[in-house]
Amino acid sequence: MMPIYLIVAYAVFVGGTLALACSIRMRRRQIEREIERLEARLSGAEAPTTNES
Amino acid sequence: MRNDRLGVALAALSALAMGTALGMVFLYAPREVTMGDVQRIFYFHVASAWVGFFAFSVTCLGSVAYLARGERRWDILALSSAEIGTAFIAMTVVTGALWAKPVWGTYWTWEPRLTISAVQLLIYVAYGMLRASVEGPERRARFAAVYGIAAFVTVPLSWFAIRWWRTIHPNVLTGEGMAITPRMVHTLLVSLGAFTLLYAALLRQRVRLERTADRRARLRLRARRG
């Protein structure tokens, strides 16, 4: 049987790496969503000018 | 990962390499005579420390390049690499303690290598805190670059700690404190390769995150002006 220390150590490696990868991905998703909102706001602000013509 | 073929390829390759390394650690590498199965921590522990050292070296080089050229991309490289290095050094310290308990009878002892590793981890955590506390992107990048170069001193210090001072930490290269067989060497080399690929995949994603954040900053500025 594998010692508990070995199992916990490999869980730390796998969990730690996955946590880092997910954290990067989630932060990027969050920023992308904010970019979409900002772009929608900016295009909304510019829209009346184009509609007037 | 839209339109990022290299990113997808790196992620797939690193996943494959990590799977192979895990398989070799548990199925190919022999059981060490004195420590038993717990010695298997060593393969990923060393590979994780290697990635930490490599990542901090990239941070140092990126910092030097930023101070020399003043281009944002070097600052992005330095900060992305520092974040990944910090995560891997943290894993190295935690798994080292898990290995030490059954082998040394204690999770922690204030011997040179362990002490320097703990200090190194705190120094790079402080790097992130410094970045968060300085106002102004250029000032922040300049401060972080100087800090990133100074912090690099912990890498050679940690590497040579087991050679310069009396320590109980095993020396992987000389095999001192641990019997190394060819199968163990193969497993270690595959683990080192797998972790290096993983670093490259994570670095690419982290750099993309920072570029996306820059795009958001430009849009926020436009929205404020508009």
Side-chain angles (χ1 to χ4, degrees), chain A residues 1-18 20-39 41-43 45-46, chain B residues 1-2 18 22 25-26 37-38 40-45 48 83-84 87-88 91-92 94-95 98 101-102 107 195 198 202 205-206 208-209 212-213 215-216 219-220 222-224:
Chain A
M1 208 181 113
M2 291 287 172
I4 188 73
Y5 296 106
L6 179 65
I7 296 161
V8 175
Y10 276 88
V12 168
F13 284 125
V14 175
T17 309
L18 285 176
L20 178 63
C22 288
S23 141
I24 293 171
R25 203 172 166 76
M26 279 169 63
R27 278 182 283 170
R28 196 159 154 239
R29 282 256 175 95
Q30 201 179 349
I31 294 170
E32 278 172 346
R33 275 201 294 271
E34 200 184 326
I35 285 175
E36 279 168 22
R37 274 201 302 272
L38 281 165
E39 279 175 340
R41 214 174 98 192
L42 283 168
S43 63
E46 285 161 12
Chain B
M1 278 195 239
R2 262 176 298 173
M18 288 300 282
L22 266 175
V25 165
F26 289 98
D37 279 323
V38 82
R40 292 178 202 275
I41 292 175
F42 149 86
Y43 303 106
F44 274 30
H45 172 76
S48 187
E83 187 179 299
I84 297 166
F88 278 88
M91 286 193 274
T92 307
V94 171
T95 55
L98 287 165
K101 179 63 181 166
Y107 285 109
F195 269 71
L198 183 65
L202 288 168
Q205 294 311 315
R206 186 61 186 81
R208 288 191 84 202
L209 164 69
T212 314
R215 202 174 139 222
R216 177 183 61 181
L219 281 171
R220 273 180 177 170
R222 260 183 67 195
R224 235 177 275 151

Side-chain angles (χ1 to χ4, degrees), chain B residues 17-187:
Chain B
M18 288 300 282
T20 309
L22 266 175
M24 286 181 78
V25 165
F26 289 98
L27 304 170
Y28 177 79
R31 192 172 187 274
E32 211 264 348
V33 188
T34 44
M35 290 181 233
D37 279 323
V38 82
Q39 181 269 345
R40 292 178 202 275
I41 292 175
F42 149 86
Y43 303 106
F44 274 30
H45 172 76
V46 173
S48 187
W50 148 251
V51 165
F53 288 176
F54 185 68
F56 295 152
S57 309
V58 170
T59 296
C60 180
L61 291 175
S63 302
V64 170
Y66 178 79
L67 289 180
R69 297 180 173 220
E71 292 167 7
R72 168 75 175 139
R73 63 185 173 139
W74 296 115
D75 180 46
I76 290 178
L77 179 72
L79 87 93
S80 302
S81 197
E83 187 179 299
I84 297 166
T86 308
F88 278 88
I89 287 297
M91 286 193 274
T92 307
V93 170
V94 171
T95 55
L98 287 165
W99 171 86
K101 179 63 181 166
V103 177
W104 293 341
T106 177
Y107 285 109
W108 192 264
T109 172
W110 293 103
E111 63 91 64
R113 169 55 81 77
L114 270 66
T115 307
I116 292 168
S117 297
V119 170
Q120 181 180 52
L121 178 61
L122 293 176
I123 282 175
Y124 280 94
V125 168
Y127 174 88
M129 290 163 77
L130 173 82
R131 291 200 74 102
S133 63
V134 178
E135 292 287 332
E138 279 173 27
R139 193 160 170 261
R140 180 188 308 132
R142 213 169 43 246
F143 273 40
V146 173
Y147 189 98
I149 295 166
F152 177 73
V153 76
T154 58
V155 173
L157 208 59
S158 181
W159 175 262
F160 288 111
I162 52 174
R163 291 158 185 85
W164 287 344
W165 296 292
R166 285 171 66 86
T167 168
I168 51 170
H169 192 284
N171 189 335
V172 180
L173 292 184
T174 59
E176 199 178 303
M178 194 185 290
I180 299 266
T181 66
R183 278 188 168 217
M184 289 177 173
V185 175
H186 302 157
T187 309

